[in-house]
Amino acid sequence: ETAAKRPRQDWGAGPLYIGFDISTQSCKALVIDASLAVVGSSRVHFDTDLPHYATQDGCHRDATESGRVTSPTLMWVEALELALDLLQAQSCPFG
C-alpha cells in the first residue's frame, strides 16, 4: 500500500491536533479531535512513496563500513510534506 490515506469528510467543529511519527521506514500523521478521537491519518512509506532516495527499509547501508546506516534528512522533510498533502486531499481543515 503506497501513500495510504483514509478519506474522511467529518472533521467536526472543535479544535484538531496533529501528531507525526517518523520511524525508520515511514512517516505517519494522525489528526485527533478534542476528545482524542482519530479523525484523519496519512502514511508515507519511504521506499515505495519516495523511491528517488533509493533507500532499503528507509535507509542506506554503508558497504564500506560495517554497521553504518544513514537516512537522507531531506527524505524526512519530503515525507512530512507528503503526509500533510495527503491530509489536505482528505479536506483536513488546516488554518
Side-chain angles (χ1 to χ4, degrees):
E1 181 177 15
T2 61
K5 62 181 180 181
R6 186 180 65 178
R8 180 74 181 191
Q9 299 294 338
D10 181 17
W11 293 95
L16 299 174
Y17 307 93
I18 187 167
F20 294 97
D21 174 16
I22 303 175
S23 66
T24 55
Q25 297 183 25
S26 66
C27 171
K28 297 174 209 106
L30 188 69
V31 180
I32 60 172
D33 64 16
S35 67
L36 305 181
V38 175
V39 295
S41 65
S42 63
R43 178 178 173 267
V44 178
H45 186 263
F46 299 140
D47 294 355
T48 55
D49 296 323
L50 302 172
H52 49 281
Y53 290 100
T55 57
Q56 181 180 9
D57 299 324
C59 62
H60 296 144
R61 288 172 178 77
D62 190 337
T64 63
E65 194 171 326
S66 178
R68 182 176 178 181
V69 178
T70 61
S71 291
T73 307
L74 190 55
M75 177 181 71
W76 297 338
V77 173
E78 189 172 344
L80 281 168
E81 289 178 341
L82 183 53
L84 290 169
D85 288 346
L86 291 169
L87 287 173
Q88 189 171 33
Q90 297 174 49
S91 300
C92 184
F94 297 110

